Amino acid sequence: MTMRFTARARRGMVALAVTAGLALGAAGCGGGGDDGKNSQPSASASKSGGSNANAQEGQSDTPLAELKGEDGLLLQITSADRDSGGFVTVNGTFKNDGSQSLVIPSILRGDETEIVQHGTSLGGATLVDSQGKKRYYVLRDTEGRPLTTTGLSTIQAGQTIPVFMQFPAPPTSTTEVTLQLPTFSSGTIKISG
């Protein structure tokens, strides 16, 4: 009787171990180790975290616009792509043209309470459609995180940092918008797609 219980217990333990292994394996396949820090924007899905944005694909060498900030900080816009989900994703590069390292100003995140609580970002950016007389703010995920590059802190002299911002798309008849970011000059960009 003891042998039968032991064999039955062993089969149960093996079944439990296999089930647990499959559950852990399935959970590990979901994002390839993505912790939200290097993810790119998705047209139809919200992000769970910020992004330190890897180099964007398809960017040209000539920027669409160059916005000048304080102390030699530049924002070069390399693309503004409309997608079928009703979003515009603006990609660019922060560049430190100065001779010393700079702290990325926290004012770039704007002053909305929902965005401020998620740290330094480009959440204060807006797109202005002068034709339609509308202003578009950076999108947020379901937890209030801005769909922009986050976690910006310091940029060394001569360094560049790829960045992105995602906005609701203006009507398809609008092909040019003005990008505004606190402490930077404004720049007109052409939307493709």
Side-chain angles (χ1 to χ4, degrees):
M1 183 131 155
T2 305
M3 294 296 273
R4 196 176 309 158
F5 175 76
T6 304
R8 194 176 297 158
R10 234 182 274 152
R11 281 193 302 264
M13 296 283 278
V14 168
L16 180 60
V18 168
T19 303
L22 288 174
L24 288 174
C29 291
D34 183 13
D35 61 3
K37 292 184 180 174
N38 291 318
S39 57
Q40 297 299 314
S42 170
S44 60
S46 62
K47 294 166 61 73
S48 62
S51 174
N52 290 333
N54 294 327
Q56 310 296 319
E57 291 182 17
Q59 292 182 355
S60 67
D61 291 338
T62 306
L64 297 176
E66 185 172 274
L67 286 62
K68 295 185 180 190
E70 299 173 348
D71 301 320
L73 189 59
L74 299 174
L75 174 58
Q76 297 174 327
I77 303 302
T78 54
S79 67
D81 299 320
R82 182 190 309 268
D83 63 41
S84 59
F87 303 96
V88 169
T89 301
V90 176
N91 293 299
T93 305
F94 265 140
K95 182 178 181 185
N96 182 352
D97 253 1
S99 59
Q100 299 179 354
S101 64
L102 297 172
V103 174
I104 305 282
S106 61
I107 189 76
L108 300 182
R109 68 183 174 200
D111 59 3
E112 292 182 44
T113 306
E114 188 175 60
I115 289 181
V116 169
Q117 67 185 354
H118 294 291
T120 305
S121 70
L122 303 177
T126 58
L127 289 183
V128 178
D129 172 8
S130 56
Q131 178 183 342
K133 296 181 175 36
K134 289 189 178 180
R135 178 182 304 268
Y136 298 90
Y137 294 89
V138 168
L139 291 168
R140 296 162 184 91
D141 69 11
T142 56
E143 295 178 8
R145 291 185 195 94
L147 298 184
T148 73
T149 303
T150 59
L152 299 167
S153 58
T154 304
I155 183 169
Q156 303 302 317
Q159 181 183 11
T160 59
I161 300 173
V163 295
F164 79 92
M165 298 158 269
Q166 196 170 50
F167 302 89
T172 54
S173 59
T174 300
T175 58
E176 285 190 348
V177 291
T178 301
L179 177 65
Q180 297 179 336
L181 185 66
T183 74
F184 280 77
S185 60
S186 297
T188 301
I189 56 176
K190 187 172 178 71
I191 300 173
S192 62

